[in-house]
């Protein structure tokens, strides 16, 4: 039997629904292949009163999409034991049929209804959402034994139409369950479960290529090195992830063009761009459309939004590991070498990518960093600092700044290295310059300290004292 790896907080929320004494309406959303359906099916052991999965509209003729979805819904009702009836002509009629079916179920135990890929049901001019609102508000919300779970990969639709609904479904969600990729700790548990052995260094490299997405991890097989597995997943003739980038955007977003365009643009600069720069660089007007695009990318955990604490500007930074890896090495058929990764592990391009990818890994493991620094209980804010020497760009930057409520500030240096990091005379001068620049701008209001986040550790010499706190990969792999 399959085992649910990690997902501790999500399982607690699902368990609380089983134990509650009122109707529950949960939404579960997250990117393609992150394990949403698996989590729900395995947690509830397929004990559903009704379970329906929408059809992918991209695979249906546009003029027949609504009819195909309604026929499929009627099929699901029949499969779960509903009396045979004609195909409903509208979603209002379809939900009426569901009410009739569920009303016959016993009310002395929890009744679980699971609608998977709900955004696919909302085809053009189908009035699906109106019918669904009527179903919940007019009947389902009054059934104290009912658990309704709506699930979807189209995160923008799930958030806009359900979570942030300002009309009939306003404030109706009782459990909000966004499902993120695995953390390093969960990746470790997953590989242990499958009998795949790798050390922390290889685990970090695996995460930096896959972003911890469970399906992407499933492409790795026992008996191969990390480099061989990356080649098999991305570069082999029939590599399963070779065309995943396009599929990812098609599944997450209803109209993918602007989302993909922004991600490609953000990949061009390590610290990201302001909203105005994104608009100018992509040709997307700086209005509600761009707002919706940036929000959708953030809701989908593909980008990170942060502030430059000196300039006060908001930046949008691509931090999804899979997208960064794909755009660096796979996109556009950059190579036809089926053993590309094995042959280029120590090339300048791969080493440069490792440095950038490690920084993004750190942004995705803030909780572990805070725990390692002993500040889990301290209110903190994550930002960056850009020093501009001219109007054309930054002269220097600190990628991660952790500002604490007690007025101490961690200026984080993130270094991916196969050895302990050694601070020599030149690097020490670089660190002292950063401290001085920070103090000159901030004054004595805050106390800065250099924090090194790296793989193995720090080589102790006469300059090592410049680093006041250290986080290593062993800390990053700890439990969330």
């Amino acid at each position: 039997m399959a085992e649910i790896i990690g997902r501790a907080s999500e399982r607690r929320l699902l368990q609380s629904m089983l134990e509650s004494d009122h109707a529950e309406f949960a939404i579960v959303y997250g990117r393609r292949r992150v394990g949403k359906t698996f989590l729900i099916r395995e947690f509830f052991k397929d004990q559903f009163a009704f379970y329906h999965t929408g059809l992918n509209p991209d695979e249906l003729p546009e003029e027949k999409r609504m009819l195909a979805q309604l026929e499929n819904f009627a099929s699901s009702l029949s499969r779960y034991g509903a009396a045979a009836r004609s195909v409903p002509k509208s979603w209002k009629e379809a939900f009426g049929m569901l009410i009739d079916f569920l009303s016959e179920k016993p009310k002395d135990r929890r009744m679980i209804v699971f609608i998977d890929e709900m955004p696919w049901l909302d085809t053009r001019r189908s009035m699906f959402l109106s019918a669904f609102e009527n179903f919940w508000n007019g009947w389902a919300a009054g059934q104290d034994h009912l658990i309704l779970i709506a699930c979807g990969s189209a995160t923008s639709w799930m958030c806009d139409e359900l979570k942030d609904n300002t009309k009939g479904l306003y404030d109706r969600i009782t459990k909000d369950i966004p499902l993120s990729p695995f953390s390093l700790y969960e990746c470790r548990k997953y590989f242990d479960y499958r009998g795949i052995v790798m050390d922390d260094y290889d685990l970090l490299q695996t995460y930096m290529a896959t972003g911890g997405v469970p399906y992407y991890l499933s492409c790795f097989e026992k008996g191969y090195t990390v480099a061989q597995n990356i080649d098999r997943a991305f570069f082999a003739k029939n590599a399963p992830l070779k065309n995943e980038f396009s599929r990812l955007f098609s599944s997450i977003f209803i109209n993918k063009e602007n989302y993909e365009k922004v991600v490609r643009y953000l990949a061009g600069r390590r610290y990201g761009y302001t909203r105005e720069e994104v608009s100018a660089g992509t040709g997307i007007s700086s209005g509600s459309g761009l707002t919706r695009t940036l929000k959708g990318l953030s809701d989908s955990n593909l980008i990170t939004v942060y502030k430059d604490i000196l300039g006060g500007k908001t930046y949008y930074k691509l931090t999804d590991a899979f997208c960064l890896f794909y755009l660096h090495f796979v996109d556009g058929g950059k190579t036809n070498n089926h053993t590309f990764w094995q042959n280029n592990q120590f090339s300048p391009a791969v080493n440069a990518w490792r440095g950038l990818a490690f920084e993004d890994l750190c942004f995705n493991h803030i909780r572990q960093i805070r725990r390692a620094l002993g500040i889990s209980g301290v209110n903190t804010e994550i930002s960056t600092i850009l020093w501009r020497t001219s109007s054309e760009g930054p002269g220097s930057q600190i990628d991660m700044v952790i500002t604490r409520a007690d007025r101490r500030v961690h200026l984080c240096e993130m270094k991916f290295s196969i050895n302990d990091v050694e601070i020599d005379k030149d690097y020490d001068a670089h660190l002292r310059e950063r401290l001085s620049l920070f103090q000159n701008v901030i004054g004595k209001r805050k106390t800065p300290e250099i924090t090194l986040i790296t793989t193995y550790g720090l080589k102790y010499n006469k300059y090592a004292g410049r680093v006041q706190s250290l986080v290593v990969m062993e800390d990053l792999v700890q439990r969330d």
Side-chain angles (χ1 to χ4, degrees):
M1 181 179 292
E3 178 181 326
I4 299 174
I5 304 297
R7 309 302 193 198
S9 61
E10 292 86 356
R11 284 187 284 171
R12 283 194 293 271
L13 283 174
L14 295 175
Q15 184 62 37
S16 72
M17 292 165 61
L18 284 174
E19 297 171 357
S20 76
D21 58 0
H22 57 266
E24 295 276 3
F25 177 16
I27 56 172
V28 181
Y29 54 96
R31 68 190 292 158
R32 163 185 161 91
R33 303 295 201 176
V34 81
K36 303 177 297 296
T37 303
F38 175 83
L39 172 65
I40 300 303
R41 291 186 61 172
E42 290 303 314
F43 183 86
F44 291 108
K45 305 300 181 186
D46 279 334
Q47 299 299 307
F48 302 113
F50 178 71
Y51 173 20
H52 175 70
T53 301
L55 300 172
N56 187 341
D58 292 338
E59 299 173 358
L60 303 170
E62 185 171 359
E63 68 278 5
K64 295 184 178 180
R65 286 176 181 173
M66 179 179 171
L67 175 60
Q69 297 288 5
L70 288 169
E71 287 175 342
N72 189 42
F73 193 83
S75 241
S76 294
L77 279 168
S78 177
R79 187 168 61 253
Y80 275 84
R85 289 170 61 178
S86 59
V87 174
K89 295 181 176 59
S90 67
W91 278 111
K92 184 176 180 181
E93 183 181 345
F95 280 112
M97 292 166 62
L98 179 60
I99 290 172
D100 291 343
F101 171 64
L102 295 177
S103 295
E104 298 175 356
K105 299 289 182 182
K107 294 180 170 54
D108 58 349
R109 61 177 180 272
R110 296 304 257 168
M111 180 172 64
I112 306 165
V113 174
F114 180 30
I115 302 179
D116 200 5
E117 296 299 356
M118 181 178 279
W120 288 351
L121 305 180
D122 189 22
T123 55
R124 189 179 180 188
R125 291 194 293 269
S126 68
M127 298 186 69
F128 168 81
L129 201 59
S130 174
F132 178 71
E133 288 175 359
N134 184 64
F135 165 72
W136 176 258
N137 293 329
W139 182 80
Q143 309 303 307
D144 289 339
H145 63 305
L146 175 65
I147 295 174
L148 172 63
I149 303 169
C151 182
S153 298
T155 306
S156 56
W157 189 96
M158 295 292 291
C159 290
D160 293 344
E161 305 297 350
L162 298 182
K163 178 182 177 181
D164 301 324
N165 189 290
T166 57
K167 298 177 182 177
L169 290 175
Y170 175 74
D171 205 26
R172 299 297 194 270
I173 307 301
T174 63
K175 295 292 184 297
D176 177 22
I177 308 179
L179 205 62
S180 300
F182 282 164
S183 65
L184 282 166
Y185 172 80
E186 290 171 320
C187 290
R188 162 71 71 216
K189 298 290 287 184
Y190 174 80
F191 284 132
D192 287 347
Y193 173 73
R194 293 186 56 209
I196 299 176
V197 178
M198 62 176 70
D199 63 14
D200 288 349
Y201 186 82
D202 282 344
L203 184 67
L204 263 63
Q205 293 191 89
T206 299
Y207 182 94
M208 292 190 298
T210 64
V213 176
Y215 172 72
Y216 303 167
L217 300 177
S218 76
C219 298
F220 283 51
E221 294 291 342
K222 185 177 180 179
Y224 295 92
T225 66
V226 168
Q228 288 172 331
N229 268 316
I230 288 177
D231 277 331
R232 293 174 69 252
F234 289 94
F235 302 106
K237 184 177 181 180
N238 296 311
L241 303 183
K242 186 172 287 188
N243 300 311
E244 176 63 17
F245 185 81
S246 178
R247 293 172 184 155
L248 171 66
F249 283 85
S250 295
S251 67
I252 296 180
F253 307 110
I254 302 300
N255 299 303
K256 72 169 188 173
E257 288 75 16
N258 281 353
Y259 296 94
E260 186 173 334
K261 188 184 295 186
V262 169
V263 163
R264 289 182 177 279
Y265 184 69
L266 292 181
R269 194 158 73 186
R270 60 183 294 189
Y271 64 87
Y273 295 88
T274 65
R275 179 191 177 93
E276 292 74 21
E277 290 172 328
V278 172
S279 177
T282 62
I284 303 172
S285 62
S286 185
S288 59
L290 183 58
T291 299
R292 186 164 50 252
T293 299
L294 292 171
K295 180 180 181 298
L297 291 170
S298 178
D299 287 341
S300 302
N301 295 318
L302 298 181
I303 67 173
T304 296
V305 185
Y306 66 89
K307 281 193 174 183
D308 166 15
I309 63 174
L310 296 186
K313 290 187 176 181
T314 298
Y315 283 81
Y316 300 87
K317 173 184 170 72
L318 176 61
T319 50
D320 180 73
F322 167 79
C323 289
L324 286 161
F325 181 89
Y326 189 95
L327 292 172
H328 264 85
F329 300 110
V330 184
D331 186 48
K334 285 185 168 63
T335 179
N336 59 6
N337 181 354
H338 296 166
T339 57
F340 172 82
W341 204 249
Q342 295 173 70
N343 298 337
N344 290 274
Q345 289 188 73
F346 303 105
S347 68
V350 170
N351 284 332
W353 163 80
R354 285 192 180 105
L356 298 176
F358 182 66
E359 292 174 5
D360 293 321
L361 179 151
C362 293
F363 269 95
N364 288 317
H365 287 79
I366 296 296
R367 286 193 298 258
Q368 288 82 356
I369 292 170
R370 293 174 71 244
R371 182 185 296 114
L373 294 173
I375 57 173
S376 294
V378 179
N379 188 34
T380 59
E381 182 176 340
I382 309 299
S383 57
T384 192
I385 297 178
L386 305 176
W387 285 289
R388 284 177 171 77
T389 54
S390 72
S391 61
E392 297 181 0
S396 182
Q397 69 185 86
I398 298 178
D399 298 289
M400 181 185 290
V401 179
I402 305 176
T403 304
R404 296 164 43 170
D406 58 7
R407 299 195 301 175
R408 291 177 63 186
V409 179
H410 295 272
L411 307 181
C412 298
E413 292 281 312
M414 293 172 279
K415 299 291 181 184
F416 188 87
S417 174
I418 199 168
N419 297 305
D420 289 345
V421 173
E422 181 176 5
I423 299 177
D424 58 17
K425 182 178 179 181
D426 290 340
Y427 193 14
D428 179 64
H430 165 78
L431 296 177
R432 286 188 287 108
E433 179 188 29
R434 291 194 167 197
L435 286 168
S436 177
L437 283 167
F438 180 88
Q439 205 75 74
N440 288 340
V441 174
I442 300 298
K444 297 182 179 179
R445 292 172 293 159
K446 301 181 188 299
T447 304
E449 65 178 65
I450 298 295
T451 294
L452 176 64
I453 307 174
T454 187
T455 43
Y456 288 101
L458 175 66
K459 184 175 181 179
Y460 286 93
N461 58 20
K462 66 179 181 179
Y463 299 111
R466 192 69 57 199
V467 173
Q468 293 173 269
S469 49
L470 178 67
V471 178
V472 297
M473 61 184 174
E474 191 175 295
D475 299 314
L476 298 174
V477 182
Q478 295 302 306
R479 182 190 296 269
D480 289 357

